[in-house]
Amino acid sequence: MTITPERLRLYLVTDDGLTVGRPLADIVLAAVAGGVTIVQLREKRATTRHFVEQARALKAALSASGVPLIINDRIDIALAVGADGVHLGDDDMPASEARRILGKRAIIGISLGGVPENAADAIAQADYVAASPVFATGTKPDAGPALGLDGVRALRRAVPRPLVAIGGINQGNARQIVEAGAHGIAVVSAIMAAADPEAAAARLKDAVEGALRQ
Amino acid sequence: MTITPERLRLYLVTDDGLTVGRPLADIVLAAVAGGVTIVQLREKRATTRHFVEQARALKAALSASGVPLIINDRIDIALAVGADGVHLGDDDMPASEARRILGKRAIIGISLGGVPENAADAIAQADYVAASPVFATGTKPDAGPALGLDGVRALRRAVPRPLVAIGGINQGNARQIVEAGAHGIAVVSAIMAAADPEAAAARLKDAVEGALRQ
């Protein structure tokens, strides 16, 4: 499947450590109401059973909105719930394996920590690319060194795929990331930890769209 | 796929915390030379990338022997490497989902901690059942209360599937487990932690076969 650059405008990555007791699906739906265009379920500590239950609940919650559900890392979870795709990092399944298992229609995203020297196979299978991390981040302690805005510019030039940036993005720096060439921004805590996820998403979406209108 | 009771005679479950620097595939192949009839790759801490690499290496190592490779929990890993099946516990994918994704030919095993009251769906999809844990075990700290030999007898009567027992099994108690009705024994540390895995496997196999000859 291909994915349009518009679909990446505001990409929410979940973190169940930031929900402070609120149901995950409630936060996600509020964020979608505020303008989130795509959602990734990321569960790094959950059992498979819990992960599949969360994914099924989110898939059902999102179905009316048309917002795609992407599963972090786990192709088995994506298959079990009929998710729209997977997002793969360096420690996850190779993108070529994921494509073989999931088929042509699945959305496959990959993280890149810089302009790659030997990731042609992965890029060939990827529908979009995430520049990760663009800035230092507290929600992914194993992320590599920050790419910065120059890294975003370099990836946009080098990789012929829709590009989203992730890592330390908030309302204050969203605009410059889009001006550097990203088609959209991906956030975790800027929405997940917000007291009002809908308002937080709306402000981030405004920042992205403001930069695009220039 | 169906699995014969003979295939469960001596079931090795790996634990990469017990290899003390030896390559996992070397230990597994020595154990197969000693009489292991089926192997389960269990990786509870590995990244998906590492897990798939380990699984691919084991699948290749086992191919000449005809010994099936079962993957613990992870259907994505089983699909990626063409493993023979998966083993599912309570925290893993429901067996019905696993069957739908993997198809009829896959071997699906499930763990049962006693005679189940409402596991008919899971048993219907299972090719074999593991009584787990039969005795207290140090290699699976989240295992439930020990079933004991009476638990093995009860499962053998109640569940019409080939039955293997796991948990705290060694050369000293293997015989009584088979006498209680298990078609075979599954071990982790009794082989993985042995200085001579081939000899350890051969002694365990002798104990099982001795009990069966009576």
Side-chain angles (χ1 to χ4, degrees), chain A residues 108-128:
Chain A
I108 294 180
I110 60 171
S111 291
L112 291 177
V115 173
E117 293 180 6
N118 47 20
D121 285 356
I123 292 168
Q125 299 299 339
D127 297 296
Y128 73 88

Side-chain angles (χ1 to χ4, degrees), chain B residues 100-164:
Chain B
R100 186 174 60 75
I101 296 170
L102 291 171
K104 282 187 297 187
R105 293 183 55 200
I107 299 170
I108 295 181
I110 60 170
S111 292
L112 290 177
V115 174
E117 291 180 8
N118 46 19
D121 285 357
I123 292 169
Q125 299 299 339
D127 298 297
Y128 73 88
V129 166
S132 170
V134 58
F135 299 128
T137 170
T139 56
K140 194 163 190 288
D142 61 341
L147 279 158
L149 297 174
D150 284 343
V152 172
R153 287 185 198 100
L155 272 175
R156 174 66 188 272
R157 280 194 302 269
V159 179
R161 288 289 182 279
L163 178 68
V164 67

